[in-house]
């Protein structure tokens, strides 16, 4: 285990925001993960497990404990089963699977972050969720300091949710993800954007063409990390799409001047695109508040215009949440994980 002190966290996040970690450990194998956990415990220090840093907002004051960066590497394939170490880059893993002729992840191309983060929020995009292919997740159970293999059914997967970010938050460290992929599968083209992209084509696209299309669509929305592009300094979608009862949707639709977009959700509920609510509440694409802005390409991403602070992001977040609630009686929930903030999502006072 490599250990450093006072390490700036901003470079480890796609937002490029955040103060230093008191301690910072890099784990390249499972023993180092245990060693780091013990180190934190001996000092009574809080622990934060860092993956790809693509879904995080780190406080300006940083994190007062140990940040454990998961750098475990390696992908093993046995037939249609793939076992990927948590520290592998997600998009590289998707590309590898497709190169080998396996489908199931093509719509999840171009998502920044690491493999280990994907089961935590059950990453999803363009008609697929990782829970559709994950068979089990190898974890370190922090209650007993033992490793175990949690079958998918025990992970409680739902929209942007699992036991890892809800009922058992903070209990497990993901070290490996096992997925069953489908050899020579046809790409899933259920999402409207993808259907539009391939409309009029006589032959179905290959997995690689579908993945390339997803990357292109993500790029147009500023949801692909491209070095040097300002709109990419974000944590992707900043809010979850709220799932509301049908009745509430009808009430909103009754007051709106034109059709309110909706996605299917579980029976009796409707998912409303948060981006639409944000725009209707007055925050158009490109809306600026100091060094923070609503992305000019997608209203659901807040971006760091350069030099932004976590405090600045929180200020815009609070304004948007208040405006959407006042207009629609819907309370938006942020999607990124907050690190170094108090329980209310407000920054801790320094020191
Ligand atoms: N819309 C707007 N303004 C915008 C963008 C979108 O009003 O600037 C409305 C439109 O009505 C549009 C609808 O929102 O039809 C949906 O937009 P989009 O297809 O871009 O998807 P989304 O619901 O905003 C979700 C995920 C994304 C994922 C896409 C594609 C969440 C919180 N976000 O976004 O995931 O890539 O679908 O599947 O579920 C992420 O989680 O970080 C992320 C990027």
């Amino acid at each position: 285990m490599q250990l450093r002190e006072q390490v700036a966290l901003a470079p480890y996040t796609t937002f490029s925001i955040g103060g230093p970690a008191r301690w910072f450990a890099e784990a390249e194998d499972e023993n180092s993960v245990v060693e780091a956990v013990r180190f934190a415990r001996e000092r009574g220090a809080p622990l934060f497990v860092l993956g790809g840093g693509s879904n995080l907002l780190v406080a300006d004051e940083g994190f007062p404990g140990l940040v454990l960066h998961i750098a475990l590497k390696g992908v093993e394939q046995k037939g249609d089963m793939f076992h990927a170490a948590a520290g592998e880059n997600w998009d590289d893993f998707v590309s590898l699977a497709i190169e080998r002729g396996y489908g199931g992840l093509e719509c999840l191309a171009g998502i920044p972050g690491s493999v280990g983060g994907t089961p935590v929020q059950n990453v999803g995009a363009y008609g697929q969720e990782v829970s559709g292919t994950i068979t089990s997740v190898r974890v370190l159970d922090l209650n007993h300091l033992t490793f175990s293999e949690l079958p998918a059914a025990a992970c409680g997967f739902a929209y942007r949710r699992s036991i890892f970010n809800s009922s058992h938050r903070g209990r497990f460290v993901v070290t490996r993800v096992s997925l069953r992929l489908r050899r020579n599968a046809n790409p899933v083209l259920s999402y409207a954007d993808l259907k539009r992209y391939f409309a009029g084509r006589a032959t179905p696209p290959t997995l690689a063409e579908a993945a390339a299309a997803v990357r292109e669509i993500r790029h147009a929305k500023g949801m692909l990390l491209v070095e040097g592009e300002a709109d990419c300094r974000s944590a992707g979608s900043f809010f979850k799409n709220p799932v509301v009862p049908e009745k509430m949707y009808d009430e909103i639709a009754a007051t709106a001047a034109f059709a309110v977009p909706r996605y299917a959700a579980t029976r009796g509920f409707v998912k409303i695109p948060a981006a639409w609510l944000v725009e209707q509440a007055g925050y158009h694409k490109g809306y600026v508040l100091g060094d923070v802005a609503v992305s000019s390409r997608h209203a659901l991403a807040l971006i760091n215009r350069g030099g932004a602070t976590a405090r600045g992001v929180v200020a815009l977040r609070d304004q948007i949440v208040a405006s959407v609630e006042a207009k629609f009686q819907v309370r938006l929930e942020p999607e990124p994980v907050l690190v170094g903030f108090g329980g209310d999502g407000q920054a801790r006072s320094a020191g």
Side-chain angles (χ1 to χ4, degrees), residues 165-243:
N165 68 2
S166 58
S167 57
H168 290 74
R169 184 183 212 125
R171 173 166 169 193
F172 299 108
V173 180
V174 174
T175 60
R176 191 182 65 189
V177 179
S178 296
L179 313 94
R180 172 167 284 122
L181 303 183
R182 286 182 291 278
R183 179 141 181 85
N184 297 327
N186 286 323
V188 170
L189 302 175
S190 60
Y191 206 82
D193 285 344
L194 275 174
K195 282 191 184 142
R196 245 193 316 273
Y197 188 96
F198 289 111
R201 244 185 83 133
T203 51
T206 62
L207 291 169
E209 284 172 329
V214 167
R215 287 197 186 91
E216 201 177 312
I217 294 166
R218 293 189 73 93
H219 190 197
K221 295 183 187 182
M223 297 283 186
L224 188 75
L225 274 188
V226 182
E227 201 64 46
E229 280 189 11
D231 265 2
C232 303
R233 271 193 309 249
S234 79
S237 298
F238 196 85
F239 299 102
K240 291 182 198 166
N241 287 330
V243 177

Side-chain angles (χ1 to χ4, degrees), residues 31-270:
N31 285 341
S32 305
V33 176
V34 177
E35 213 184 314
V37 172
R38 290 215 170 100
F39 176 93
R41 287 195 177 163
E42 280 158 16
R43 282 155 188 82
L47 174 74
F48 178 74
V49 179
L50 172 70
S54 58
N55 199 41
L56 294 184
L57 179 61
V58 179
D60 302 314
E61 293 74 17
F63 185 69
L66 174 74
V67 170
L68 169 57
H69 186 217
I70 299 294
L72 285 80
K73 293 285 155 64
V75 177
E76 263 182 60
Q77 183 190 353
K78 289 192 188 112
D80 60 359
M81 286 298 304
F82 286 73
H83 308 279
E88 285 288 333
N89 175 276
W90 172 257
D91 194 36
D92 291 347
F93 173 60
V94 171
S95 298
L96 177 134
I98 291 172
E99 269 163 34
R100 293 185 185 176
Y102 284 82
L105 305 177
E106 61 281 359
C107 300
L108 304 175
I111 294 179
S114 60
V115 165
T118 59
V120 176
Q121 60 151 336
N122 184 20
V123 159
Y126 301 99
Q128 284 176 336
E129 285 184 330
V130 278
S131 57
T133 48
I134 289 179
T135 54
S136 65
V137 178
R138 184 168 161 86
V139 293
L140 174 66
D141 182 343
L142 294 177
N143 284 357
H144 310 289
L145 282 195
T146 50
F147 287 93
S148 57
E149 194 77 28
L150 293 181
C155 295
F157 290 126
Y159 168 65
R160 291 295 188 274
R161 197 181 154 97
S162 71
I163 60 164
F164 309 116
N165 68 2
S166 58
S167 57
H168 290 74
R169 184 183 212 125
R171 173 166 169 193
F172 299 108
V173 180
V174 174
T175 60
R176 191 182 65 189
V177 179
S178 296
L179 313 94
R180 172 167 284 122
L181 303 183
R182 286 182 291 278
R183 179 141 181 85
N184 297 327
N186 286 323
V188 170
L189 302 175
S190 60
Y191 206 82
D193 285 344
L194 275 174
K195 282 191 184 142
R196 245 193 316 273
Y197 188 96
F198 289 111
R201 244 185 83 133
T203 51
T206 62
L207 291 169
E209 284 172 329
V214 167
R215 287 197 186 91
E216 201 177 312
I217 294 166
R218 293 189 73 93
H219 190 197
K221 295 183 187 182
M223 297 283 186
L224 188 75
L225 274 188
V226 182
E227 201 64 46
E229 280 189 11
D231 265 2
C232 303
R233 271 193 309 249
S234 79
S237 298
F238 196 85
F239 299 102
K240 291 182 198 166
N241 287 330
V243 177
V244 303
E246 288 265 9
K247 192 169 163 284
M248 191 162 182
Y249 174 87
D250 293 342
E251 282 166 16
I252 293 172
T255 61
F258 41 88
V260 181
R262 57 186 280 171
Y263 301 134
T266 45
R267 213 187 148 82
F269 290 85
V270 178

